[in-house]
Structure formats: structure tokens, C-alpha cells
Amino acid sequence: MTTSKVRSAVLAAALVLLLASAGVTQERPGATASPPGTIVIDGSSTVGPLTSAVAEEFRKTPAGRTIRITVGISGTGGGFKKFCADSPQSRTDIQDASRPIQATEDEACQRNQVSYVEVPVAIDGLSVVVHPRNTWATCLTMGELKRIWEPGAERRITSWRQVRATFPDRPLRLAGAGADSGTFDSFTEMVVGKAKASRGDYLATEDDNVTVQFVQRDDGAMGYFGLAYLEENQGRVKGVAIDPSGRVDLASDADCKGVQPDFDTSKTGRYPLTRPIFIYVNRTSALSKPEVRQFAAWYVGQGTGVALTVDDPRQPGKRTNLTRAVGYVELPDAVYVAARQCLARLTPGTAFKEGGKAAGHASLAQLSGSYVAHCR
């Protein structure tokens, strides 16, 4: 070896020792930049209240007492941009999602070596709401909802009378989820038949509280968001019963056979706009920071389902499980068992695929079938 090569080797070795002494370690593929003792969570505003409630209870346990947990609400799409980002500085440890991961998001994760564990946490009844003084739209068919929200309705369907002949000729003003929201994807897919297909002339927001305020101010307004926001804002807004039929020719309001969004109709799937909601766990974070795995396991163990009871905010003096206290419904036990198996084994990838790619949507039936098989 020449003198110059020996000098280079010595310098390289010295640099390694210097970095090691300074506590700098080689970056693991797919890692986040959040330090030990912290869990960074972002994503769906629908799932955010449940995750925040679980985090608050987790911090009361010996394992969670010293853990710092932050929960952002960038929307499901906005959150996945961070979760699967190319830079560790931008990535999050856990993603809240009101729908399964989509193919493009899954591809971004693979491209940036971000591997994840998919974990369903609860059931939501995606709720259509109107002003409490709206006495006419107590029930709508899926066909009427499509007539209101499909792209061709833009600047064309602007009066309630255009929705049903028995409705008053009053302005129809709309608010709902923005394009970065998983609720937007779920609602358009279930109502219009294609994800992201929607009229654009409405107040679009990733913050569901903005939709609540919009509907609260206007007798002719309509909006939609997760069941928890309806439960929390009873009296400010009113839920609309949904008839699963595609009819748009109702001669009488009595012809509408709707189902109200509530805990029971969401749990059984009778309510037509029922959907599962999720968290996604960064596998490298779960391996390098035990607190991430502990929190996720607690989320689908003691934290949700019927395992942890808290004061019922709707019935003073009574207790309910944490999931219902927030405004959602617990999953079947078999799904929670499967979720804990997936976390214990750190099973990678999504159970919801079409043509080998992430599908971006899931039914309760797929949850009990495809997801349980995925984790088994």
C-alpha cells in the first residue's frame, strides 16, 4: 500500500471513530428522524381524535409515562406524503388513515424503502349532515346524493328543489372533505362510484370543524364527515338518514327508507356509508423504538375495543369503551386479534389489493376476510 493510501485509510478510520464518539449512527433504510422517546403521528382528521384519546390514556400507563406523542391532522393523503417521504426528516412514525393506502402511496413507500404494518382500529359511519332547522332533507337516497355531488352537478344542481320535487326551492350550499382527505376518497367512491370524482364548487377542507361551522351557520347547507364529529356536534348539525337505493324519482318523502348514522347501524353495516379506519406503523420505527410498537399494540389491545372503559360523554354517570366515547365503533374481536398478530410479527404491506396493487378502499366484509387472512 502506498503512503497516500495508508494516509487515506487512517483518515477514514479516524472519521468513523469521530462520528461514533459523537453518537452518529448509520441511517437505517426507511427510518424517521424523530428521536427515541417520541412518536410522531399525522394524517386523517377523522382518525386524529381517536388517536389523541388513545395517546392520552397510554401516557397514564407505566410504559407511556415518559413518551412524547404528537398528533397532526394533514388529512389521509397529506399524511401519506409525509409517511412515505424520501427524507427521514419529513417522515412520521405512524400514519392515521380513514381509508387503506392507495397504489401510488404504496409505490412511494417502496421507492423510499418505507415498510409499514397496516392496522385497522375502528368502524366509522361517514355522516351526511344538515342544519338542525332543515325540516325537509331528513332522508336522502344514494341516488340523490350522487345527483348532488357528482362532477356534472357543478354549478347546475344549486337548489334543494332540483334534488327532489317535494323539497323547497332554496339554495343548496355544500361543504365537505378536501382532496388530501381520505374521507373525500371514501365518500366519492361510495356515493359517486369513483374515488376523487366530485363537483368542485363547494367549501373543501381537511378540517372537519370547518364543515361543522359552515353547516351550523346556514339553513340550506349540507356537509359530510366522520361519525365522531356528528356525535360531538349534536344540536349544531343534524344527521341525515341514507336510503341505499339509487332512486332519484321519489314522489313522496315517505318513499325514502333511510338508515340513520349511529353506533348500532355502523357496527352492523346497515348504514350504507360505513367504513373501517386505520393506522399505519413504520416498521423501522417499530424495530428501533420499542415505544412505537408498544403504543400501536396498546391501541388495538387495551386502548380500543371494549377493553378500556371511560366516562360516557353522552350519558353522565355511565361508562363506555374509549372508541365509542370518541364517536366510533369497535371492530369485531377477530379483527383486533389479527391486528395484534400483524404487529407482533411486523407483517408488511396491505391486505386490500386489486390486480396485485394497493386498492385504496375496504369494506367491513373484506376486513373480516382479507385482513384476518393477511395477518394469520
Side-chain angles (χ1 to χ4, degrees), residues 29-48:
T32 69
S34 61
T38 66
I39 304 174
V40 178
I41 305 172
D42 205 331
S44 166
S45 62
T46 300
V47 187

Side-chain angles (χ1 to χ4, degrees), residues 28-32 76-88 90-95 97 99-118 279-284 348-350 358:
R28 297 187 185 194
T32 69
T76 298
F80 269 125
K81 289 174 186 170
K82 298 178 182 178
F83 186 75
C84 303
D86 59 354
S87 167
S90 301
R91 288 180 199 140
T92 53
D93 297 305
I94 294 176
Q95 155 77 0
R99 56 158 174 75
I101 190 169
Q102 295 180 339
T104 54
E105 295 160 344
D106 185 61
E107 288 161 8
C109 272
Q110 291 184 38
R111 187 166 58 249
N112 296 316
Q113 297 182 282
V114 176
S115 181
Y116 59 81
V117 181
E118 184 174 60
I279 62 171
Y280 286 75
V281 181
N282 181 307
R283 290 181 76 241
T284 303
T350 177

Side-chain angles (χ1 to χ4, degrees), residues 46 98-100 122-128 142 145 182-183 185-191 225-228 240-244 259-278 324 327-332 352 360-368:
T46 300
S98 59
R99 56 158 174 75
I123 299 170
D124 177 33
L126 213 169
S127 304
V128 176
M142 289 291 282
L145 277 180
T183 296
D185 296 330
S186 299
F187 186 80
T188 50
E189 178 154 339
M190 288 190 279
V191 171
F225 39 57
L227 180 60
V240 177
I242 303 300
D243 182 327
V259 179
Q260 283 285 348
D262 61 30
F263 292 150
D264 291 338
T265 59
S266 296
K267 186 174 179 66
T268 59
R270 285 181 56 234
Y271 180 65
L273 300 178
T274 300
R275 60 176 177 167
I277 55 179
F278 301 84
R324 293 199 179 206
Y328 298 117
V329 183
E330 66 278 358
L331 294 161
F352 309 103
H361 59 82
S363 65
L364 297 188
Q366 288 174 306
L367 204 61
S368 298

Side-chain angles (χ1 to χ4, degrees), residues 316-331:
K318 294 193 174 181
R319 305 277 289 178
T320 186
N321 68 60
L322 182 60
T323 306
R324 293 199 179 206
V326 174
Y328 298 117
V329 183
E330 66 278 358
L331 294 161

Side-chain angles (χ1 to χ4, degrees), residues 103-186:
T104 54
E105 295 160 344
D106 185 61
E107 288 161 8
C109 272
Q110 291 184 38
R111 187 166 58 249
N112 296 316
Q113 297 182 282
V114 176
S115 181
Y116 59 81
V117 181
E118 184 174 60
V119 183
V121 293
I123 299 170
D124 177 33
L126 213 169
S127 304
V128 176
V129 298
V130 294
H131 192 280
R133 286 198 295 270
N134 182 323
T135 57
W136 58 93
T138 56
C139 176
L140 292 168
T141 69
M142 289 291 282
E144 290 170 333
L145 277 180
K146 182 179 180 181
R147 170 177 278 184
I148 293 170
W149 284 99
E150 63 187 352
E154 185 164 328
R155 295 188 179 84
R156 194 174 61 82
I157 304 296
T158 57
S159 164
W160 282 99
R161 179 67 56 79
Q162 293 172 285
V163 179
R164 190 184 299 170
T166 57
F167 287 171
D169 186 16
R170 298 188 57 168
L172 171 64
R173 299 188 180 91
L174 301 169
D180 269 345
S181 167
T183 296
F184 175 73
D185 296 330
S186 299

Side-chain angles (χ1 to χ4, degrees), residues 271-322:
Y271 180 65
L273 300 178
T274 300
R275 60 176 177 167
I277 55 179
F278 301 84
I279 62 171
Y280 286 75
V281 181
N282 181 307
R283 290 181 76 241
T284 303
S285 293
L287 286 166
S288 60
K289 298 196 296 183
E291 58 271 22
V292 172
R293 202 164 176 175
Q294 288 170 349
F295 172 72
W298 200 85
Y299 202 139
V300 288
Q302 293 96 330
T304 54
V306 295
L308 179 65
T309 60
V310 297
D311 291 335
D312 189 335
R314 299 164 197 84
Q315 301 185 72
K318 294 193 174 181
R319 305 277 289 178
T320 186
N321 68 60
L322 182 60

